[in-house]
Amino acid sequence: VQAAAQYYFHKDASALSRREAAMIAACLPNPKKFKAAPAGKYVSARANNIQRQMNNLEGDEDIEEMLK
């Protein structure tokens, strides 16, 4: 993730926005085929879904505990 953050967004992984993190995640499982930036239709659509899931999990006690 750190390498992708530096390559695509020229910043540390800890400084990524939710959208940028979702775009990197959307490239998996084939980051050689898919690019986070500029994102094509597939990566954009998948990033939207990932971001929606992030929002749904926000505030979940189990997730918050896991992220500590």
Side-chain angles (χ1 to χ4, degrees):
V1 174
Q2 180 65 24
Q6 290 290 327
Y7 181 80
Y8 288 115
F9 303 110
H10 311 289
K11 59 173 88 172
D12 193 73
S14 65
L16 290 173
S17 68
R18 283 181 175 219
R19 181 67 183 170
E20 291 165 339
M23 289 173 70
I24 289 173
C27 293
L28 299 174
N30 195 346
K32 288 185 175 184
K33 180 178 178 182
F34 301 111
K35 306 284 184 246
K41 287 182 182 181
Y42 172 79
V43 170
S44 291
R46 222 166 111 73
N48 287 341
N49 289 335
I50 291 168
Q51 207 167 359
R52 196 170 17 259
Q53 292 169 8
M54 291 168 137
N55 293 337
N56 288 339
L57 293 173
E58 187 174 13
D60 184 280
E61 293 174 8
D62 294 329
I63 299 298
E64 296 293 330
E65 183 65 30
M66 187 174 62
L67 294 175
K68 286 184 181 177

